[in-house]
Amino acid sequence: MKEIIIIGSGPAGLTAAIYTARANLAPLVIAGDQYGGQLMTTTEVENFPGFPEGIQGPVLMQNMVKQAERFGAEILHGNATSVDFSSNPKKVWVGDKEYQARSVIVASGSSPRVLNIPGEQEFWGKGVSTCATCDGAFYRDKVVAIIGGGDSAMEEATFLTRFAKKVYIIHRRESFRASKIMQERALKNEKIEVIWNTEVKEVHGDQVVEKLQLRNTETQEEHDLELDGMFLAIGHIPNVGFLNESLTLDDQGFIDAQHHTRTNIEGVFVAGDVHDHHYQQAITAAGMGSMAAIDAEQWIASQP
Ligand code: NAP
């Protein structure tokens, strides 16, 4: 039996691992198929304090793993598939393998949202993607569209101009929610054109994506846009499926935290994007990871 299990290995999980490992709790980190979470699919991270020149997302995460392992954290590759928090010790399964601990920190993050429109699944990986960093290089001299109006959409549209000859940003309203600096960077890029007040209705193609059927949200008029790829950047949904409804969620489906990082179950704590749909930053996730670690450590110390 472990003192503590941490589910997730993004900035929240790995910071919790560094803190609990330094507190001699020898945490087991259930890291997912690949450690590092969403930052593994980013390029340059410019706003993580301490790196004035920026740092590549995967390098930052690799450093966090090394730092956690240095103090005795054990990293297990695999996804948590089920839990039982109803008694002590708490139980977490990775497939049919069971792990037990006195305390658990859930830092399982969130996953990209999809549109659920005809053609989206059919052309998944054949022109439909949620990861410009992963798939952008396949679109050299091609025409692509980014869907969304947040920071991710701006960042990914700008990134895609390195490869594509033309990048459309298709947004359902007439203003972006992205930060000013990211908007400006995208809008001044000559390869980027914004299609405002527009939704994607269907994805069409033969073997691969060839066109999108678009609808103007004001006039309801429809037209086709010929292109080679569609990238979704429309936010995220929390990874809570494996929790068997054991933890209380908020009205948007993210894990509720009461009293800092505590969940509704004694000894189970939460950190990062699986709780926070507002800030969703690497640094805020890391900060909450340290808070959850301190809360868990104090809770363990208070137990008989
Ligand atoms: P977001 O801010 O939630 O934006 C999602 C966008 O997708 C919104 O513009 C939304 O439209 C649109 N959208 C949502 N559902 C849709 C649907 N069904 N159909 C069409 N459009 C839809 O998500 P995000 O851009 O991934 O950013 C998440 C957080 O990460 C934010 O806090 C952001 O600041 C942060 N972030 C920061 C950086 C950076 O600083 N380098 C980079 C990336 C992300 P509406 O606007 O109409 O709701």
Side-chain angles (χ1 to χ4, degrees):
M1 187 176 89
K2 286 278 180 185
E3 288 292 332
I4 186 154
I5 290 175
I6 297 165
I7 302 174
S9 63
L14 290 175
T15 305
I18 293 166
Y19 272 69
T20 50
R22 284 193 80 244
N24 271 340
L25 293 174
L28 173 68
V29 180
I30 299 177
D33 287 333
Q34 189 196 19
Y35 72 78
Q38 292 192 58
L39 279 189
M40 298 302 283
T41 60
T42 349
T43 48
E44 189 92 2
V45 180
E46 291 177 329
N47 52 10
F48 201 90
F51 301 95
E53 310 300 331
I55 182 166
Q56 294 292 313
V59 177
L60 180 63
M61 299 322 295
Q62 201 176 28
N63 287 348
M64 287 192 200
V65 168
K66 278 191 204 153
Q67 199 174 349
E69 285 181 330
R70 181 181 149 208
F71 297 112
E74 184 187 343
I75 311 283
L76 177 96
H77 294 276
N79 285 309
T81 47
S82 179
V83 299
D84 181 356
F85 295 153
S86 63
S87 58
N88 286 313
K90 276 107 188 147
K91 301 184 184 84
V92 180
W93 282 268
V94 176
D96 53 13
K97 201 134 196 253
E98 181 185 323
Y99 297 88
Q100 299 188 349
R102 298 222 282 174
S103 179
V104 176
I105 295 175
V106 180
S108 48
S110 58
S111 301
R113 179 179 284 131
V114 296
L115 287 168
N116 289 318
I117 53 169
E120 183 178 48
Q121 281 308 318
E122 185 186 343
F123 292 105
W124 200 262
K126 299 173 194 161
V128 177
S129 169
T130 52
C131 183
T133 325
C134 321
D135 299 333
F138 299 129
Y139 295 87
R140 201 170 288 281
D141 297 324
K142 306 251 167 143
V143 178
V144 297
I146 281 274
I147 318 301
D151 280 337
S152 298
M154 302 304 121
E155 186 173 72
E156 300 198 356
T158 307
F159 176 77
L160 283 168
T161 60
R162 292 189 201 179
F163 311 100
K165 65 179 179 195
K166 174 97 190 168
V167 178
Y168 292 100
I169 299 178
I170 301 174
H171 184 40
R172 62 184 177 183
R173 295 189 292 124
E174 61 186 7
S175 63
F176 289 138
R177 71 169 62 225
S179 58
K180 275 272 170 305
I181 182 168
M182 309 274 281
Q183 287 193 36
E184 278 166 14
R185 207 176 281 175
L187 290 172
K188 76 172 190 219
N189 191 314
E190 284 174 0
K191 283 187 177 178
I192 294 178
E193 181 181 333
V194 183
I195 304 180
W196 301 103
N197 296 319
T198 298
E199 280 175 343
V200 184
K201 255 193 88 188
E202 285 179 28
V203 184
H204 294 281
D206 185 6
Q207 304 290 320
V208 294
V209 170
E210 290 171 2
K211 66 180 179 191
L212 302 181
Q213 191 179 335
L214 304 180
R215 176 171 54 198
N216 186 299
T217 52
E218 302 227 294
T219 63
Q220 309 306 320
E221 269 171 37
E222 295 188 4
H223 75 278
D224 288 346
L225 178 69
E226 290 192 2
L227 43 57
D228 306 288
M230 171 176 87
F231 289 82
L232 303 174
I234 56 170
H236 293 83
I237 48 173
N239 296 326
V240 293
F242 66 95
L243 291 167
N244 315 326
E245 300 177 4
S246 52
L247 300 183
T248 307
L249 308 179
D250 66 16
D251 56 0
Q252 294 190 53
F254 292 74
I255 298 175
D256 235 353
Q258 310 133 10
H259 213 75
H260 308 304
T261 67
R262 286 169 185 237
T263 67
N264 56 305
I265 294 189
E266 278 262 310
V268 179
F269 301 85
V270 65
D273 286 6
V274 72
H275 158 74
D276 164 37
H277 46 79
H278 183 65
Y279 298 104
Q280 295 180 51
Q281 302 296 300
I283 190 66
T284 51
M288 197 173 179
S290 72
M291 289 160 61
I294 292 168
D295 290 345
E297 185 193 333
Q298 288 176 351
W299 182 82
I300 290 170
S302 73
Q303 297 303 297

